[in-house]
Amino acid sequence: MLRIAESLETQLRAAMQRAFPDAAASGQGFDPQLAPASKPEFGDFQANGALPLAKPLGQPPRKIAEAVVEQLKADPTFCELCLEPQIAGPGFINLTLKSERLAAEVQSRLGDARLGVPAVEQAAPVVVDFSSPNIAKEMHVGHLRSTIIGDSLARVLEFRGHPVLRLNHVGDWGTQFGMLITHLKQVAPEALETADAVDLGDLVAFYRQAKQRFDDDEAFQTTSREEVVKLQGGDPVSLKAWGLLCDQSRREFQKIYDRLDIRLSERGESFYNPYLEGVVKDLEASGLLVVDDGARCVFLEGVSGKDGKPLPVIVQKSDGGFNYATTDLAAIRYRFGQSPQGDGARRVVYVTDAGQANHFAGVFQVARRAGWLPDGARLEHVPFGLVQGEDGKKLKTRAGDTVRLRDLLDEAVERAESDLRRRLQEEERQEDEAFIAQVATTVGLAAVKYADLSQNRITNYQFSFDRMLALQGNTAPYLLYAVVRIAGIARKGGDLEAGGTAPLQFSEPQEWALVRELLKFDAVIAEVEEELLPNRLCTYLFELSQVFNRFYDQVPVLKSDGAARQSRLALCRLTADTLKLGLGLLGIPTLERM
Ligand code: ARG
């Protein structure tokens, strides 16, 4: 009801100004403080704007509210929209929309593919930096979280009409390659010349060994560093080896993205290599750069270490090498920069685990102070908590190894399949294998995504196959089932498309509850766009399913007739459309039967 809220806000402000013309003339501001009603018995909206006016106007807030209500009652546009406003408590104004307005609002959504969600007026490029695993390392559950959350945020932003650049900032540069190449030269040189000469699994193991040697052996460290310098200097042999390694990891990552239906453009750390010098020069020119113990760094304002001294962001080490932070600074500069040397973004968001919060806070501060952010630009870290096993500890396999994503997704699908087979047997249903495979895949992957998205992302999240696959509760299967239930109404002869023409009529409280729930959708989407919290959308879809199920259990639909039947079918259809669109924005496809 974003549009209605907007016009109510305008009407309220005007009413306030008319009620207190002298104050308005002398520059008093009026904010209606319009919010959705906190309880259904208070109507649809409440305006709390009278309270803060008590002091400047020198009147009790209830009196102020009364004067505003008088003005509202004299406004014909307002009277078309709302019943007579009620004053409650110390001076809240409660507003209830007229039922014909609500019905008309439902009706207008029936023919609207956007379901009432307006496209933004000023579209601005947004960069969503997500997934971003590291080459020659296994993509882990943290990356899975980033992938799922980032994709859903990108979908919401895209749906709102922003051009979204989905960037995979893969770790494909830096010391780790020096180590790996040095090690491989000695133990598996073929991997540096021939594609796929070793398995990715082996590559990961080689990487681990290389890291170990790097930590233990000084000579190895030196050679590795030299190797990085060679690579960064464009040595053809090193570059070729690097290319092969990246390619192999890339194909492995892509398999996961394909399964999860994730689109991403790879633009790894190496992309910013040519811009690193520029970052240092820029920081030097702006006077931010300090040389400390041979390292070039920027000291942070308001962030100090244990010794009470300000913490630095090191942009160039004493050996001349650059850091993860330098690359991120170059990336910020590029993303906000104008094309052809930049993306022209207005908002850049990073989806990573909360452990990187300090890194981003530091880098963001440096970028701001360096003046790389255009006016009104937004730079946001979207942190999330750890993925834990059901024991509350780090997620591991029974054997104690880290869980491979492929195995995790396989297991979700397998479990969804055995649940389904059990259900089919209980219900004595016959389905072919193609159906079983499709439902199991959809439900299994949906469960993994939804379990992650429905948590407040900031908190740690306990991974539990049993919980995420349950048919009851705030789960993907529960929501998918609501869609299936509505598709079933159509199969039983309910023409869901019929409700679009004649005026809708509702009488039962369960119908009104569903109407009001349906009309919240646009505000929820706008909120997710703003706050980047997909769990808000999940909670909404869960509540909508519950309100729908209550309606459908208690109010006859197929057994009613005339205008009531048409109107109820229209509610069913709009519920299904809202669930489908909402789940789609979470990256979850729906089913007609399951
Ligand atoms: N590769 C990093 C990791 O695995 C995440 C990169 C996030 N993006 C960024 N621009 N720093 O932790």
Side-chain angles (χ1 to χ4, degrees):
M1 284 196 277
L2 282 176
R3 288 203 190 95
I4 292 190
E6 251 166 52
S7 57
L8 279 179
E9 186 155 340
T10 314
Q11 290 156 16
L12 275 157
R13 186 169 287 118
M16 291 166 106
Q17 280 161 351
R18 284 198 309 275
F20 302 99
D22 297 344
S26 62
Q28 171 67 47
F30 292 103
D31 176 5
Q33 298 197 359
L34 188 70
S38 54
K39 286 192 191 146
E41 53 270 34
F42 296 159
D44 293 294
F45 294 99
Q46 64 187 63
N48 303 341
L51 278 68
L53 288 174
K55 220 183 208 167
L57 298 182
Q59 289 184 34
R62 260 194 99 90
K63 259 194 94 186
I64 299 175
E66 275 160 24
V68 175
V69 167
E70 274 322 297
Q71 292 300 328
L72 283 175
K73 289 197 320 206
D75 175 353
T77 359
F78 175 83
C79 295
E80 243 172 69
L81 215 54
C82 288
L83 301 175
E84 187 173 329
Q86 302 296 315
I87 298 173
F92 307 123
I93 303 175
N94 289 341
L95 303 172
T96 306
L97 293 169
K98 287 190 167 166
S99 38
E100 57 271 28
R101 283 301 316 190
L102 289 168
E105 201 62 19
V106 168
Q107 191 127 31
S108 76
R109 291 187 186 199
L110 288 171
D112 173 12
R114 299 189 58 85
L115 302 184
V117 181
V120 285
E121 271 159 29
Q122 292 208 326
V126 182
V127 169
V128 183
D129 176 320
F130 70 106
S131 191
S132 308
N134 300 312
I135 301 289
K137 292 198 212 169
E138 199 87 61
M139 190 169 168
H140 56 68
V141 282
H143 295 123
L144 181 67
R145 275 208 98 173
S146 172
T147 306
I148 292 171
I149 296 171
D151 174 60
S152 139
L153 295 176
R155 286 177 194 258
V156 170
L157 290 160
E158 283 156 357
F159 181 63
R160 284 284 273 160
H162 298 289
V164 175
L165 204 52
R166 300 158 156 258
L167 290 185
N168 200 3
H169 189 85
V170 294
D172 65 352
W173 208 235
T175 333
Q176 82 226 50
F177 283 92
M179 301 191 255
L180 185 62
I181 293 176
T182 310
H183 185 56
L184 285 175
K185 271 188 180 165
Q186 295 165 12
V187 297
E190 65 280 13
L192 301 172
E193 281 157 25
T194 321
D196 301 320
V198 298
D199 268 3
L200 186 78
D202 295 336
L203 216 52
V204 172
F206 284 134
Y207 176 76
R208 242 181 257 137
Q209 295 161 10
K211 175 88 174 69
Q212 189 68 50
R213 288 183 69 185
F214 187 85
D215 292 341
D216 297 344
D217 173 354
E218 225 167 279
F220 184 84
Q221 246 179 51
T222 316
T223 331
S224 299
R225 293 230 164 84
E226 284 162 12
E227 195 57 59
V228 183
V229 177
K230 263 200 226 161
L231 174 65
Q232 300 190 336
D235 174 75
V237 179
S238 306
L239 270 182
K240 178 173 181 207
W242 171 75
L244 289 177
L245 298 174
C246 289
D247 212 48
Q248 195 167 357
S249 292
R250 189 174 290 135
R251 273 180 279 129
E252 214 45 44
F253 299 155
Q254 192 56 43
K255 286 186 199 152
I256 301 280
Y257 299 143
D258 287 344
R259 278 184 89 171
L260 295 174
D261 187 25
I262 308 277
R263 269 185 311 105
L264 264 163
S265 310
E266 183 180 317
R267 196 202 271 168
E269 296 180 11
S270 61
F271 174 88
Y272 301 99
N273 191 43
Y275 304 101
L276 300 176
E277 296 275 7
V279 164
V280 179
K281 285 215 184 85
D282 242 28
L283 293 175
E284 195 150 37
S286 57
L288 293 176
L289 205 73
V290 177
V291 181
D292 189 56
D293 220 1
R296 306 169 120 188
C297 48
V298 177
F299 282 98
L300 293 172
E301 286 170 353
V303 190
S304 38
K306 287 197 191 93
D307 55 4
K309 289 199 196 124
L311 283 177
V313 170
I314 300 177
V315 292
Q316 193 166 23
K317 292 178 278 190
S318 49
D319 65 3
F322 300 104
N323 279 335
Y324 183 53
T326 327
T327 304
D328 263 324
L329 286 170
I332 294 176
R333 198 158 156 266
Y334 191 92
R335 290 166 181 181
F336 285 118
Q338 289 306 317
S339 88
Q341 287 285 296
D343 299 316
R346 304 293 300 173
R347 187 177 191 185
V348 180
V349 305
Y350 298 78
V351 188
T352 79
D353 62 288
Q356 301 199 34
N358 289 340
H359 161 75
F360 284 112
V363 161
F364 291 176
Q365 186 194 111
V366 173
R368 262 200 198 95
R369 284 163 64 198
W372 297 338
L373 270 66
D375 282 345
R378 295 173 74 173
L379 190 52
E380 291 157 282
H381 181 215
V382 176
F384 54 79
L386 302 174
V387 184
Q388 300 171 322
E390 283 180 85
D391 54 3
K393 298 201 189 108
K394 204 173 160 196
L395 189 68
K396 289 240 166 73
T397 63
R398 285 223 184 86
D401 300 324
T402 47
V403 181
R404 284 199 311 180
L405 294 190
R406 201 189 326 150
D407 299 341
L408 184 144
L409 299 179
D410 285 346
E411 183 166 353
V413 173
E414 277 158 27
R415 285 181 183 237
E417 183 179 326
S418 47
D419 285 357
L420 173 62
R421 287 191 192 275
R422 198 173 323 121
R423 208 156 37 80
L424 291 178
Q425 215 165 29
E426 279 164 17
E427 295 171 9
E428 295 179 10
R429 267 167 70 192
Q430 286 294 332
E431 298 288 356
D432 58 30
E433 287 302 310
F435 173 87
I436 293 176
Q438 205 229 336
V439 172
T441 309
T442 307
V443 172
L445 299 179
V448 171
K449 285 190 179 185
Y450 190 83
D452 196 330
L453 293 166
S454 57
Q455 300 286 317
N456 183 328
R457 57 174 165 73
I458 318 280
T459 51
N460 291 346
Y461 143 60
Q462 281 196 3
F463 193 94
S464 158
F465 283 118
D466 286 337
R467 220 175 309 143
M468 69 177 69
L469 285 162
L471 261 176
Q472 290 301 326
N474 188 6
T475 64
Y478 179 77
L479 296 187
L480 291 174
Y481 192 71
V483 178
V484 166
R485 198 170 183 197
I486 300 172
I489 299 172
R491 282 194 294 275
K492 284 183 221 139
D495 182 1
L496 296 182
E497 306 298 315
T501 43
L504 301 173
Q505 286 175 24
F506 306 110
S507 51
E508 304 303 320
Q510 295 92 331
E511 290 176 301
W512 286 116
L514 182 54
V515 165
R516 291 198 152 89
E517 197 60 34
L518 285 166
L519 295 180
K520 286 182 194 162
F521 182 62
D522 55 353
V524 172
I525 297 301
E527 192 186 327
V528 176
E529 178 197 354
E530 189 53 32
E531 319 220 336
L532 308 176
L533 288 169
N535 62 306
R536 297 277 166 80
L537 177 54
C538 296
T539 306
Y540 168 73
L541 294 174
F542 177 50
E543 279 167 5
L544 175 62
S545 305
Q546 288 179 309
V547 174
F548 171 77
N549 283 331
R550 216 169 297 139
F551 154 80
Y552 193 63
D553 292 339
Q554 296 172 6
V555 179
V557 174
L558 289 171
K559 291 208 176 90
S560 60
D561 42 39
R565 188 176 198 266
Q566 298 269 304
S567 302
R568 289 171 190 172
L569 285 172
L571 286 185
C572 294
R573 167 177 159 199
L574 188 56
T575 304
D577 288 349
T578 307
L579 287 172
K580 282 185 201 164
L581 180 57
L583 285 166
L585 294 175
L586 298 172
I588 296 175
T590 56
L591 295 160
E592 294 292 296
R593 297 193 307 124
M594 70 189 263

